[in-house]
Amino acid sequence: MTWKRSILVVANITATSEALLAELTRRAQREPLIATLIVPATSSEGGREAARAQLQAALESLRAAGIEADGLIGDSDPILAVSEAWDPKRYDEIIVSTLPMSESKWLHAGLPERIGKLTGAAVTHVAVPPPRAEAHTVVRKPEQAHLGIVTPLAGLWRRRT
């Protein structure tokens, strides 16, 4: 049996990102590894069902890249999710994947550092650019159609450069 580096990965929005996949692929090319992905189930945005869908998509992506991976849905608090899953006999290190500082609640809370202090493990942070906003169709409410009023989608309109 070949020894494999075991990595605990904590991600939610960024679980299916190209940046996280690239980091794990790069590591897998250096040495055999197995990744265990924890997706914290947030109390909003679909909760456990959304986390389950995100986890499934991420695992499919990792496996398609040839990375041995399994995963679980964690507590909505990523610190609790990690503390429930962490076992120093099972994992060699932890990767925390987040959006950049300007958009990450996890980074504002100091998550990578807090996980390092909690577990004593080596923690790597992978910052992932936010997903690009796709073109959105604005639908008028029937009662507004005759007025020519378009309801703006707050926060979704960004100038592309």
Side-chain angles (χ1 to χ4, degrees):
M1 182 174 185
T2 305
W3 179 84
K4 294 181 182 181
R5 183 164 206 71
S6 185
I7 302 173
L8 184 63
V9 180
V10 185
N12 191 323
I13 294 170
T14 62
T16 57
S17 70
E18 290 293 323
L20 180 57
L21 180 62
E23 176 67 17
L24 291 169
T25 300
R26 183 182 62 76
R27 288 168 176 251
Q29 290 171 346
R30 285 195 324 235
E31 63 184 336
L33 68 82
I34 181 168
T36 300
L37 176 62
I38 298 176
V39 176
T42 61
S43 54
S44 62
E45 300 173 20
R48 293 192 77 74
E49 286 307 312
R52 190 177 330 286
Q54 187 76 331
L55 175 61
Q56 195 60 37
L59 291 176
E60 288 173 12
S61 185
L62 291 168
R63 291 172 182 154
I67 297 170
E68 187 177 342
D70 61 8
L72 55 117
I73 306 299
D75 189 272
S76 62
D77 180 340
I79 289 289
L80 287 176
V82 169
S83 68
E84 290 170 354
W86 175 250
D87 179 354
K89 295 176 185 168
R90 182 171 178 201
Y91 300 108
D92 300 303
E93 66 177 300
I94 301 171
I95 293 177
V96 178
S97 177
T98 71
L99 294 170
M101 178 61 97
S102 62
E103 300 187 36
S104 174
K105 293 176 187 176
W106 287 4
L107 283 182
H108 286 279
L111 187 64
E113 295 82 8
R114 291 174 61 202
I115 287 175
K117 287 179 183 175
L118 173 74
T119 63
V123 175
T124 301
H125 174 239
V126 175
V128 175
R132 288 200 286 168
E134 299 298 322
H136 295 279
T137 304
V138 177
V139 179
R140 294 181 182 154
K141 294 179 183 177
E143 65 272 12
Q144 294 174 330
H146 71 283
L147 300 173
I149 298 171
V150 176
T151 306
L153 299 173
L156 295 178
W157 300 104
R158 291 189 179 158
R159 184 182 199 106
R160 291 187 186 194
T161 54

